[in-house]
C-alpha cells in the first residue's frame, strides 16, 4: 500500500532550498514523509542549520520533529535541546522538555521555549533564567529579541545586576545599552536603600533614574524616608530630588522630623572650599621656614598670615 525509498551511507535529499543529510534516510513517497537516522543535518536556505540524531519530517506541511542532541544555529544564537519541533515555513522552533539559547554574551535557559529564527524573537516559559556578565534574571515567562538584546517582561521578574535587586512585572530591559523601563510598581533595593514607584526609567551605566507616581525612597543608613509624586535619583551616588508634594521623614532616636516643600533634595554636597594664598607660602630662600598662622581677629590689630 506504500512505497519506501531507502538510502544509506551519507544520504542526502533536497526539498526546494532545504537540504537533508544523515547516515540513512527512509522516504515515504506516497505520504511525502521523511525519516532520517544518525548524524542528521538540515541546511535551510543557507542561513539556518539544525543537527540531531533522529528526524521525522512531513514534507507537505514542512514541519520537522528532531530528537537527541538537537542544535539549531542561525548565526546570531545557538539553541540546544533534546527534542525540537521546527517549522520550515515560519522558521519557528519550539521545545517543551528544557532548552538553552546561547548568544555572544547571554545564556537563556527554560523548560519551554519558542524561537523565531527569521525575526530573532524568543518566548520562554517555566523556570526561565537569563545570565549575562553584567546581571542575572529569573522569571516564569519572558520575551527576548536576540538581535536587539531586548528583554520584555510579561511576568514577575527578578534582576540582579551586582549592585541592586530589581523586581518588576512589566516593561523592558535594553541589555546592549543598559537602559530599562519598569512598570506596575517596580522596586530597586540594595543593602542601604529602597526605591519604588508606579513607573521607573533607569540607566545602569550612570545610575540615573526617573520615578513617576507614588514615589517612595528609604535610606536605612541615614534613617530617611521620602514620599513624593515624582523623583529624579542616582542609585549609585544615593542622590534624590523629589517633586510633587514631597514629604521627608528623618528618623531620630526618640522622634522623627517631618519636612515638606515644593521640592526636596537628599544627598551629600560639598559647599565649603578651603583655600590658601599660594604666593605667601613660597619662601624667599630654601632655609626660610613657612609657618601658617590661624586667621587674625579682625577686632584687634591684624596679624600676618605667614612669616
Amino acid at each position: 500500500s506504500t512505497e519506501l525509498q531507502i538510502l544509506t551511507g551519507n544520504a542526502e535529499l533536497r526539498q526546494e532550498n532545504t537540504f537533508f543529510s544523515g547516515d540513512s534516510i527512509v522516504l515515504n513517497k506516497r505520504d511525502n514523509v521523511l525519516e532520517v537516522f544518525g548524524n542528521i543535518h538540515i541546511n535551510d536556505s543557507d542561513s539556518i542549520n539544525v543537527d540531531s540524531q533522529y528526524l521525522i519530517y512531513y514534507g507537505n506541511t514542512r514541519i520537522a520533529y528532531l530528537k537527541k542532541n538537537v542544535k539549531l544555529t542561525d548565526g546570531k544564537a545557538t539553541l540546544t535541546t533534546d527534542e525540537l519541533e521546527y517549522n520550515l515555513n515560519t522558521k519557528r522552533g519550539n521545545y517543551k522538555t528544557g532548552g538553552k539559547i546561547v548568544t555572544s554574551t547571554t545564556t537563556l535557559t527554560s523548560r519551554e521555549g519558542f524561537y523565531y529564527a527569521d525575526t530573532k524573537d524568543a518566548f520562554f516559559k517555566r523556570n526561565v533564567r537569563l545570565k549575562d556578565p553584567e546581571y542575572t534574571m529569573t522569571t516564569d515567562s519572558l520575551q527576548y529579541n536576540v538581535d536587539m538584546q531586548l528583554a520584555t517582561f510579561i511576568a514577575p521578574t527578578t534582576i540582579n545586576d551586582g549592585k541592586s535587586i530589581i523586581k518588576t512585572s512589566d516593561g523592558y530591559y535594553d541589555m546592549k545599552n543598559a537602559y530599562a523601563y519598569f512598570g506596575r510598581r517596580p522596586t530597586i533595593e540594595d543593602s542601604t536603600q529602597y526605591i519604588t514607584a508606579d513607573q521607573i526609567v533607569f540607566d545602569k551605566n550612570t545610575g540615573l533614574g526617573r520615578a513617576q507616581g507614588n514615589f517612595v525612597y528609604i535610606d536605612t543608613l541615614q534613617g530617611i524616608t521620602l514620599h513624593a509624586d515624582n523623583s529624579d535619583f542616582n542609585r549609585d551616588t544615593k542622590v534624590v530630588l523629589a517633586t510633587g508634594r514631597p514629604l521627608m521623614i528623618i528618623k531620630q532616636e526618640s522622634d522623627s522630623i517631618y519636612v515638606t516643600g515644593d521640592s526636596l533634595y537628599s544627598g551629600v554636597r560639598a559647599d565649603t572650599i578651603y583655600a590658601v594664598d599660594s604666593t605667601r607660602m613660597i619662601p624667599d630662600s630654601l632655609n626660610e621656614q613657612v609657618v601658617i598662622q590661624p586667621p587674625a581677629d579682625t577686632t584687634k590689630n591684624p596679624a600676618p598670615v605667614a612669616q
Side-chain angles (χ1 to χ4, degrees):
S1 61
T2 187
E3 180 182 346
L4 301 178
Q5 184 174 0
I6 302 174
L7 302 91
T8 60
N10 299 320
E12 294 184 1
L13 282 177
R14 178 177 66 87
Q15 183 189 42
E16 299 178 1
N17 293 324
T18 305
F19 293 84
F20 303 86
S21 64
D23 292 343
S24 62
I25 297 177
V26 179
L27 174 62
N28 184 327
K29 289 187 175 181
R30 187 193 69 177
D31 298 330
N32 197 20
V33 176
L34 189 70
E35 195 169 10
V36 188
F37 302 89
N39 300 311
I40 297 156
H41 181 74
I42 302 174
N43 182 289
D44 187 18
S45 303
D46 288 329
S47 60
I48 300 170
N49 292 277
V50 188
D51 298 289
S52 71
Q53 292 300 310
Y54 173 78
L55 163 69
I56 184 166
Y57 173 71
Y58 296 89
N60 295 333
T61 59
R62 290 178 57 80
I63 296 178
Y65 297 90
L66 303 106
K67 293 184 178 181
K68 297 181 181 180
N69 302 322
V70 184
K71 181 173 73 172
L72 183 152
T73 59
D74 62 0
K76 289 288 186 178
T78 299
L79 165 63
T80 56
T81 182
D82 198 54
E83 295 184 12
L84 180 71
E85 176 186 322
Y86 181 65
N87 189 316
L88 277 76
N89 289 319
T90 61
K91 313 300 182 186
R92 187 190 79 171
N94 66 277
Y95 58 86
K96 296 183 178 181
T97 59
K100 178 171 66 175
I101 290 182
V102 178
T103 69
S104 58
T105 60
T106 304
T107 300
L108 258 159
T109 59
S110 67
R111 185 65 181 172
E112 300 179 23
F114 298 83
Y115 181 62
Y116 294 84
D118 54 349
T119 63
K120 306 299 184 287
D121 287 313
F123 174 70
F124 303 94
K125 291 176 61 178
R126 298 174 60 192
N127 302 326
V128 183
R129 181 178 176 84
L130 185 152
K131 189 173 183 180
D132 185 272
E134 298 294 327
Y135 45 79
T136 59
M137 187 182 303
T138 57
T139 183
D140 187 66
S141 300
L142 181 72
Q143 291 180 357
Y144 183 72
N145 184 278
V146 172
D147 256 349
M148 297 186 292
Q149 298 180 32
L150 183 68
T152 302
F153 312 117
I154 55 178
T157 304
T158 300
I159 305 167
N160 186 336
D161 67 359
K163 293 183 178 180
S164 297
I165 302 296
I166 303 169
K167 293 184 178 181
T168 186
S169 56
D170 180 61
Y172 63 86
Y173 203 138
D174 183 344
M175 301 178 186
K176 184 181 297 184
N177 300 303
Y179 183 84
Y181 163 78
F182 305 119
R184 296 177 62 182
R185 206 69 189 162
T187 63
I188 302 176
E189 186 175 5
D190 60 25
S191 59
T192 62
Q193 64 181 344
Y194 173 90
I195 300 169
T196 187
D198 293 341
Q199 301 175 359
I200 295 177
V201 177
F202 182 66
D203 187 335
K204 181 180 181 296
N205 291 322
T206 61
L208 294 172
R210 173 164 291 177
Q212 294 181 322
N214 299 309
F215 169 74
V216 178
Y217 173 81
I218 300 174
D219 187 334
T220 57
L221 186 63
Q222 303 295 330
I224 295 173
T225 301
L226 184 58
H227 298 262
D229 290 338
N230 308 300
S231 173
D232 292 304
F233 64 90
N234 189 307
R235 179 201 64 177
D236 299 340
T237 60
K238 295 179 172 55
V239 170
V240 181
L241 175 63
T243 58
R245 299 178 300 173
L247 168 64
M248 179 181 290
I249 306 170
I250 306 173
K251 186 179 180 181
Q252 303 291 299
E253 291 184 2
S254 59
D255 201 355
S256 297
I257 298 175
Y258 293 80
V259 182
T260 62
D262 293 333
S263 60
L264 292 177
Y265 173 92
S266 175
V268 178
R269 295 184 61 180
D271 291 329
T272 305
I273 299 177
Y274 298 93
V276 175
D277 185 354
S278 61
T279 61
R280 301 298 303 276
M281 296 182 64
I282 301 176
D284 294 332
S285 67
L286 294 177
N287 295 324
E288 183 180 352
Q289 184 179 5
V290 177
V291 180
I292 303 298
Q293 301 289 349
D297 187 346
T298 57
T299 61
K300 301 178 181 179
N301 295 327
V305 173
Q307 294 181 347

